[in-house]
Amino acid sequence: MHRPVYSIAEKTKEKDYAQLKTLSNMCIPYGGFIMLLSLIPNGFQGRVCFLFAGGIIAAIGFILRWNAAKVIRKSVPIAQEIKEPVQ
């Protein structure tokens, strides 16, 4: 690599949040839809497979949403740390 790559931490956090939020917003409904496919007449084993696969996809979506919230919590200053202006 001829030139080093420099990144601004705040901008990468914004992009991380946007990517995590978008992926979680896609995974949760897709996982729910796959779980709904268990209502199709199938044997017990087939229904369990649909529930398992959809549950895994939805769980990944919830994990991504939790990580997105964690990124935001780390980037927003805590209210106690903000000092009020002196009058």
Side-chain angles (χ1 to χ4, degrees):
M1 192 191 275
H2 296 288
R3 284 188 265 167
V5 177
Y6 298 106
S7 65
I8 300 170
E10 291 301 317
K11 293 201 179 205
T12 57
K13 285 183 183 180
E14 290 174 11
K15 289 187 180 190
D16 288 346
Y17 172 75
Q19 290 174 355
L20 290 169
K21 187 76 170 171
T22 301
L23 285 173
S24 71
N25 285 340
M26 288 173 41
C27 283
I28 294 170
Y30 290 170
F33 176 73
I34 292 174
M35 286 192 287
L36 282 176
L37 291 176
S38 67
L39 298 176
I40 295 173
N42 245 342
F44 179 74
Q45 187 177 8
R47 290 178 187 214
V48 170
C49 288
F50 278 119
L51 290 172
F52 180 75
I56 293 293
I57 294 171
I60 290 170
F62 284 113
I63 290 169
L64 291 172
R65 183 170 286 181
W66 178 70
N67 282 335
K70 194 163 65 169
V71 166
I72 288 298
R73 273 185 265 138
K74 286 183 179 180
S75 65
V76 175
I78 300 174
Q80 294 173 351
E81 294 178 3
I82 300 173
K83 296 180 181 177
E84 293 183 26
V86 179
Q87 296 179 359

